[in-house]
Amino acid sequence: GESVGLHLPTLSVQEGDNSIINCAYSNSASDYFIWYKQESGKGPQFIIDIRSNMDKRQGQRVTVLLNKTVKHLSLQIAATQPGDSAVYFCAEIVAVAGGTSYGKLTFGQGTILTVHP
Amino acid sequence: EAQVTQNPRYLITVTGKKLTVTCSQNMNHEYMSWYRQDPGLGLRQIYYSMNVEVTDKGDVPEGYKVSRKEKRNFPLILESPSPNQTSLYFCASSAYATNEKLFFGSGTQLSVL
């Protein structure tokens, strides 16, 4: 079946380093991708998104790259800080047929990012 | 402050005892949904609602019920909880039918003994 997965379940970095979190997806019909951050004891929080007609999008300290050829998504965090320590989920959205414009959201398993001071 | 509020945060119950987890959002969002989060399985959608009185099954709806009588509230009902429903539950809302930019609640940790 269709799935969204991650190459690395855990990532440890030093404060100030750049972090790269990877995600592979298998549904070529996905037209929208999102990264969420989940801190301990909290719900997932939207970080950044990208549409399938783009290959790069930048936010504040974060960049998402989309490679549709190999169905790969990555999240880059610049100058990683201890406050960035969390679980990061990629998610893909596929439009559901039927005229409702509803998007089916599928989450990846998550990567644990640990930032050491 | 824009938020999705779930209650309770923690709940321990016994098999077969009906329970309700409440969810309320103050952003006037039309779209609301429930997810469960389990180790190794990630977040899976239970039910979703596109508007008042409009609900539909997600990927794992068995054993759950929902209702959407008001726009702001979307309670999750377990009529007869079983141990395999022990999980971390999240309610979410969005202004978009496409499910862009979901706002999540803080979660409800449910243990069914």
Side-chain angles (χ1 to χ4, degrees), chain A residues 32 34 36 38 41-46 49 51 89 93 100-105 107-109, chain B residues 9 31 35 37 40-43 45 48 50 59 88 90 97-102 104-106:
Chain A
Y32 186 69
I34 312 165
Y36 285 92
Q38 186 176 19
K42 297 183 179 180
Q45 180 182 11
F46 172 90
D49 57 3
R51 297 199 178 277
F89 294 94
I93 293 179
T100 64
S101 71
Y102 185 75
K104 179 173 171 55
L105 185 62
F107 286 89
Q109 296 302 304
Chain B
R9 285 296 305 271
Y31 309 97
Y35 292 84
Q37 185 175 33
L41 296 175
L43 283 150
Q45 190 183 61
Y48 65 94
M50 299 186 72
D59 297 317
L88 179 58
F90 289 101
T98 50
N99 266 323
E100 300 171 35
K101 297 182 177 63
L102 283 178
F104 283 86
S106 297

Side-chain angles (χ1 to χ4, degrees), chain A residues 78-116:
Chain A
T80 315
Q81 302 167 1
D84 294 326
S85 293
V87 179
Y88 289 81
F89 294 94
C90 63
E92 60 179 330
I93 293 179
V94 178
V96 174
T100 64
S101 71
Y102 185 75
K104 179 173 171 55
L105 185 62
T106 302
F107 286 89
Q109 296 302 304
T111 292
I112 301 171
L113 175 65
T114 303
V115 183
H116 300 284

Side-chain angles (χ1 to χ4, degrees), chain B residues 15-47:
Chain B
T15 299
K17 186 176 182 181
K18 181 179 178 180
L19 66 91
T20 299
V21 184
T22 63
C23 174
S24 179
Q25 50 93 6
N26 63 359
M27 295 167 280
N28 202 36
H29 286 170
E30 289 189 4
Y31 309 97
M32 299 185 73
S33 50
W34 276 101
Y35 292 84
R36 61 179 288 174
Q37 185 175 33
D38 302 288
L41 296 175
L43 283 150
R44 295 178 292 167
Q45 190 183 61
I46 303 171
Y47 266 94

Side-chain angles (χ1 to χ4, degrees), chain A residues 51-77:
Chain A
R51 297 199 178 277
S52 60
N53 61 354
M54 302 169 68
D55 53 21
K56 180 179 180 179
R57 189 163 189 218
Q58 288 184 291
Q60 186 178 11
R61 281 201 307 117
V62 294
T63 301
V64 56
L65 299 177
L66 176 62
N67 186 331
K68 293 182 288 294
T69 302
V70 295
K71 297 192 181 72
H72 185 266
L73 189 68
S74 68
L75 176 70
Q76 300 179 359
I77 305 174

Side-chain angles (χ1 to χ4, degrees), chain B residues 51-111:
Chain B
N51 213 327
V52 175
E53 303 291 3
V54 181
T55 63
D56 209 344
K57 296 177 181 178
D59 297 317
V60 288
E62 294 76 21
Y64 304 95
K65 285 175 57 177
V66 293
S67 69
R68 188 91 182 273
K69 293 183 169 56
E70 305 165 279
K71 196 172 187 178
R72 64 183 294 126
N73 296 322
F74 190 44
L76 179 70
I77 303 155
L78 283 72
E79 294 272 3
S80 182
S82 61
N84 64 12
Q85 292 179 297
T86 293
S87 186
L88 179 58
Y89 291 87
F90 289 101
C91 180
S93 74
S94 175
Y96 308 96
T98 50
N99 266 323
E100 300 171 35
K101 297 182 177 63
L102 283 178
F103 284 81
F104 283 86
S106 297
T108 295
Q109 180 63 59
L110 172 65
S111 295

